Amino acid sequence: MAKYKEQRDSFTNPLPQKAEYDLSEHLIYGNQKGWKKVIEWILTIMAWAILLSYVFYLIYGSLAIKYGWYLPEFTIYTREMVLEIQKYFFVLFIALLIITVLLIFWKNYNLRRFGKLHRRKFRPPVEDEELATMFELDPELVDQFQNQRVIVLEHNIVPEDLGMGRDKDDEDENRQ
């Protein structure tokens, strides 16, 4: 069953447009059994709990060591672990600074080496006469289309095969 969604843009398109789409064609639904979903949720909650407890213990442990607070120790959560992670954070901070400096140098090098080049090629602007011949219209009508805010077409001016790929029949004929 096709559903219709009304889209309205008051600035560029003041008239309502209807877009036809079927939401079920665009979504991926998993057909997972109920007990697998329950296990998935339990494992996800456990993983998040372990991750957040580790981060909380690391932050609290760093503050506790710095200010002399009480730091409880569990099986893997110990004072030595916090001290070792702080060393890694220091090394990672130094690596982050080195990478940042290298990227700044690389950016400046690229800007000096390639920044002044103008290698982009643009097509020349399309003239009204070209549009008129392409769509088989009068030049006055093309000018009217370009200057009016709302255009109501009595017939479709776009050729049938404009922008369409080849049909399979055409491909089969081309192969033979």
Side-chain angles (χ1 to χ4, degrees), residues 5-19:
K5 180 180 178 186
E6 191 168 312
Q7 300 173 340
R8 186 177 192 130
D9 183 358
S10 61
F11 180 72
T12 58
N13 187 5
L15 300 175
Q17 302 269 328
K18 291 188 177 180

Side-chain angles (χ1 to χ4, degrees), residues 123-135 137-139 142-143 146:
R123 292 185 177 193
V126 178
E127 301 293 328
D128 290 346
E129 292 80 25
E130 292 178 77
L131 289 173
T133 56
M134 173 67 185
F135 294 106
L137 297 172
D138 296 329
V142 171
D143 186 52
Q146 289 178 344

Side-chain angles (χ1 to χ4, degrees), residues 1-35:
M1 178 180 160
K3 297 179 182 177
Y4 292 98
K5 180 180 178 186
E6 191 168 312
Q7 300 173 340
R8 186 177 192 130
D9 183 358
S10 61
F11 180 72
T12 58
N13 187 5
L15 300 175
Q17 302 269 328
K18 291 188 177 180
E20 183 177 335
Y21 66 93
D22 187 7
L23 188 61
S24 62
E25 292 177 3
H26 302 288
L27 297 179
I28 300 172
Y29 294 105
N31 296 328
Q32 200 173 36
K33 295 182 180 177
W35 64 272

Side-chain angles (χ1 to χ4, degrees), residues 47-107:
W48 275 106
I50 291 169
L51 179 70
L52 292 176
S53 69
Y54 176 76
V55 170
F56 174 75
Y57 188 81
L58 190 62
I59 292 171
Y60 177 76
S62 297
L63 293 174
I65 290 172
K66 184 175 181 180
Y67 295 113
W69 299 341
Y70 171 70
L71 181 61
E73 294 188 4
F74 306 112
T75 56
I76 59 170
Y77 298 140
T78 61
R79 178 180 294 270
E80 290 79 25
M81 179 201 73
V82 174
L83 292 172
E84 181 124 3
I85 296 296
Q86 285 178 349
K87 292 177 195 173
Y88 290 135
F89 279 150
F90 181 72
V91 170
L92 289 174
F93 179 72
I94 297 298
L96 179 70
L97 286 178
I98 291 171
I99 290 171
T100 304
V101 168
L102 286 175
L103 286 175
I104 289 171
F105 280 130
W106 184 255
K107 177 197 71 99

